[in-house]
Amino acid sequence: MQIFTERRSLDLWVAQIKTERKSLGFVPTMGALHAGHISLIQASRAQNDYTICSVFVNPTQFDNAEDLEKYPRNMQEDTKILKDAGCDAVFFPSVTDMYPEGAKSEKFNFRGIEKQMEGRYRKGHFDGVATIVSRFFEIILPDRAYFGQKDFQQLRIIQELVVQRGYPIEIVPMPIFREKSGLAMSSRNARLSEKYLKEASKIFKILNMIKDWRNQYSVTETIHLAEDQFRNTDLKLEYLILADEKKLKPIQSWDEASDIRAFVAVFADNIRLIDNLKII
Ligand code: AMP
């Protein structure tokens, strides 16, 4: 596996692949890799001649200094995991590589998608995400890029970004990988104590209850019932929204959209977790 820690050698590798007219799949990550990330790598390997993964904890998408500082980082372990997964290359850029003019985001307009949920509760988050992903796309020039539905709103933003900028890149959405307990895999789970790991597994159970309730209850009743369930846990609910998959706007009735998802953000002992489930 090729390990790139600076741009110049990566540029040469990319140029070689382009000369050979081979296809390149790209998996952007923030590291502390788990089976969810590896499922994206495997999908890319199956569909492309070469696969590259980036590992970069992007400072501009954090609105919370403690979250950024405590975000798990492990370059050696990540390298080993990627090698074992058969990844062809990994890019570990420095902050100055990605932000030569200082760690600032560009401003984006995604027709309102960026204003809901994560955009509302994490100020500037999606400007940071779109800035870094567009920079990676312009350096790596992938044919396909893989994004998990775990971060569903991010996936929608990237789909819009590709249309807005006219990038010739296919965005491939990937299903959420879960622990046996149902907890969505996340690098942040490594920070949870045993007690909170157990509490956090209730998120998926409540999301599934929503799916059952939708046959008997209105949207408002369903949200109230789910909020009650969260009150019976040690999780602090930040938001619980039923939204249309395209615009990500909260719905008021079940027949408002053909594809509806439940989205949730909670704090488990000050560690912020998100999850979602397709309801219709
Ligand atoms: P992250 O390192 O958390 O920024 O995630 C990098 C990519 O992996 C994003 O596209 C995520 O949506 C995806 N991802 C993270 N966790 C999971 C999971 N449990 N299942 C599927 N994809 C995931």
Side-chain angles (χ1 to χ4, degrees):
M1 184 175 69
Q2 303 278 338
I3 301 169
F4 300 110
T5 50
E6 45 132 47
R7 248 199 91 166
R8 247 179 323 152
S9 42
L10 169 66
D11 286 347
L12 292 174
W13 186 77
V14 170
Q16 181 64 33
I17 290 173
K18 299 286 152 188
T19 314
E20 291 171 14
R21 297 187 179 277
K22 301 279 191 194
S23 60
L24 180 57
F26 172 44
V27 180
T29 80
M30 297 206 298
L33 300 176
H34 50 67
H37 295 118
I38 299 312
S39 70
L40 274 57
I41 301 279
Q42 298 306 7
S44 173
R45 287 188 64 211
Q47 296 176 349
N48 301 281
D49 297 316
Y50 292 97
T51 292
I52 182 165
C53 176
S54 63
V55 175
F56 182 64
V57 181
N58 174 32
T60 63
Q61 71 188 68
F62 285 80
D63 67 339
N64 178 320
E66 190 191 348
D67 192 24
L68 172 61
E69 186 209 327
K70 296 218 168 132
Y71 199 88
R73 293 163 170 89
N74 197 335
M75 194 167 157
Q76 263 179 8
E77 180 67 16
D78 286 346
T79 304
K80 182 177 180 309
I81 290 172
L82 290 170
K83 216 179 200 170
D84 291 349
C87 193
D88 299 293
V90 56
F91 183 31
F92 291 103
S94 65
V95 174
T96 42
D97 241 328
M98 298 314 291
Y99 295 101
E101 285 160 27
K104 270 210 206 86
S105 303
E106 295 155 46
K107 293 272 172 261
F108 290 84
N109 179 341
F110 294 113
R111 298 181 298 153
I113 295 180
E114 76 281 20
K115 299 222 167 74
Q116 315 286 343
M117 303 188 287
E118 293 301 283
R120 179 151 166 229
Y121 289 93
R122 301 180 73 188
K123 287 283 166 238
H125 174 66
F126 288 120
D127 281 337
V129 168
T131 301
I132 196 66
V133 171
S134 63
R135 290 186 185 182
F136 276 127
F137 282 176
E138 287 168 24
I139 294 172
I140 291 174
L141 308 172
D143 299 282
R144 297 185 188 83
Y146 296 78
F147 289 86
Q149 290 181 330
K150 155 94 178 6
D151 302 278
F152 194 88
Q153 191 175 11
Q154 168 174 282
L155 163 68
R156 288 288 302 110
I157 296 268
I158 302 302
Q159 287 170 331
E160 291 288 318
L161 172 75
V162 164
V163 173
Q164 267 185 25
R165 298 245 168 139
Y167 292 133
I169 301 172
E170 182 191 340
I171 301 303
V172 185
M174 293 293 298
I176 303 176
F177 230 73
R178 297 181 180 281
E179 303 284 355
K180 272 205 190 78
S181 67
L183 175 63
M185 287 191 184
S186 161
S187 306
R188 289 188 176 86
N189 293 353
R191 294 180 53 204
L192 294 171
S193 65
E194 209 170 306
K195 172 190 161 178
Y196 278 99
L197 265 176
K198 207 165 153 209
E199 287 300 294
S201 70
K202 294 176 184 168
I203 301 168
F204 186 53
K205 295 189 175 72
I206 301 174
L207 286 172
N208 276 295
M209 288 179 193
I210 294 177
K211 209 167 166 176
D212 293 339
W213 289 330
R214 78 128 182 141
N215 295 313
Q216 307 168 49
Y217 297 105
S218 71
V219 168
T220 313
E221 286 165 342
T222 301
I223 288 175
H224 285 153
L225 285 166
E227 285 172 348
D228 281 346
Q229 291 293 325
F230 277 106
R231 270 192 281 278
N232 291 331
T233 70
D234 282 326
L235 305 168
K236 212 173 101 216
L237 185 63
E238 186 169 58
Y239 65 74
L240 166 68
I241 286 169
L242 288 158
D244 141 47
E245 278 191 1
K246 289 210 177 61
K247 297 195 176 124
L248 298 184
K249 263 194 147 151
I251 52 150
Q252 316 299 329
S253 72
W254 295 118
D255 54 11
E256 227 172 277
S258 52
D259 297 283
I260 294 170
R261 236 168 230 268
F263 295 89
V264 32
V266 302
F267 285 93
D269 194 20
N270 283 332
I271 296 154
R272 192 169 181 282
L273 304 173
I274 59 170
D275 200 353
N276 67 79
L277 184 69
K278 188 167 176 66
I279 304 297
I280 302 178

